[in-house]
Amino acid sequence: MKTKAQKHESFGKIKEKLSKAKITIVTSFAQAGSKGLNVSMMKDLRKSLRPLDSEYEVTKKTVLDKALTSDQKASHIFTNPGSIGVAYGYGDPFAIAKALYQFAKKNAALKLYGAYLGSEFMDEAHLMEMAMLPSKEVLIGRLVGMLSYPIRGLVVTLDQIAQKK
């Protein structure tokens, strides 16, 4: 059993992480009545998030709820059953959401509930949309392709006109 001082210390650490994080994703790693993530799966999850400048930790619902409500953030995701895990992302929010989504696809025990992007809450549907977006490099490639398409069409047309004359 933790002492009151230890509880205040863990509460302070959570508040500090929440204030530094660009995105905070709330997940469940073990549903009531079903098998959750085992220790090696949790290690793999943490290992996959580490290069993205993020961390994953198991947190008590009440402590996280108090930390979020003290920051005036809505915390209505704690009615869901199961154990809560939180991913604090200090790097690219889209890459972190994508990594968690990819891990959840492989491991059905991990369920994404929602996220706080800055101080705005995103429900599960919006989080899934964010996680399924293509990477930044792919989007830039598509933009370059879309911008060069009309120019290529003009060049081909002008070339055909020149060949006819």
Side-chain angles (χ1 to χ4, degrees):
M1 172 91 39
K2 286 186 175 182
T3 65
K4 199 167 193 169
Q6 289 172 328
K7 290 178 183 179
H8 280 292
E9 182 181 333
S10 65
F11 178 74
K13 285 180 183 177
I14 290 173
K15 282 191 60 135
E16 180 183 336
K17 289 177 182 181
L18 285 171
S19 66
K20 284 196 288 184
K22 291 181 183 176
I23 188 166
T24 304
I25 302 175
V26 181
T27 68
S28 174
F29 61 90
Q31 302 293 320
S34 66
K35 186 178 176 186
L37 296 177
N38 59 28
V39 174
S40 66
M41 289 176 176
M42 290 290 265
K43 282 184 182 179
D44 291 341
L45 175 60
R46 288 183 174 117
K47 189 176 183 179
S48 69
L49 291 175
R50 202 170 294 127
L52 301 173
D53 195 21
S54 62
E55 60 182 304
Y56 186 84
E57 70 178 24
V58 176
T59 308
K60 288 192 168 220
K61 289 180 187 178
T62 53
V63 175
L64 184 61
D65 187 32
K66 286 180 182 180
L68 290 171
T69 53
S70 68
D71 289 341
Q72 286 79 34
K73 296 178 182 177
S75 56
H76 50 278
I77 53 179
F78 301 104
T79 58
N80 297 319
S83 301
I84 293 289
V86 181
Y88 301 102
Y90 310 110
D92 181 20
F94 292 93
I96 296 164
K98 185 178 261 336
L100 276 172
Y101 172 71
Q102 295 296 331
F103 192 86
K105 277 180 29 179
K106 294 176 190 169
N107 302 291
L110 185 70
K111 179 156 175 39
L112 306 178
Y113 284 146
Y116 292 97
L117 186 60
S119 62
E120 296 295 317
F121 177 74
M122 273 193 294
D123 62 354
E124 181 183 354
H126 287 100
L127 178 60
M128 290 298 156
E129 286 178 22
M130 179 180 168
M132 288 190 269
L133 279 175
S135 69
K136 185 178 181 180
E137 292 79 19
V138 171
L139 290 175
I140 290 172
R142 288 182 185 175
L143 177 65
V144 168
M146 288 173 32
L147 292 175
S148 67
Y149 179 74
I151 296 170
R152 264 188 276 155
L154 178 64
V155 168
V156 169
T157 305
L158 291 175
D159 184 49
Q160 288 179 359
I161 291 172
Q163 286 177 1
K164 286 185 180 179
K165 291 186 177 184

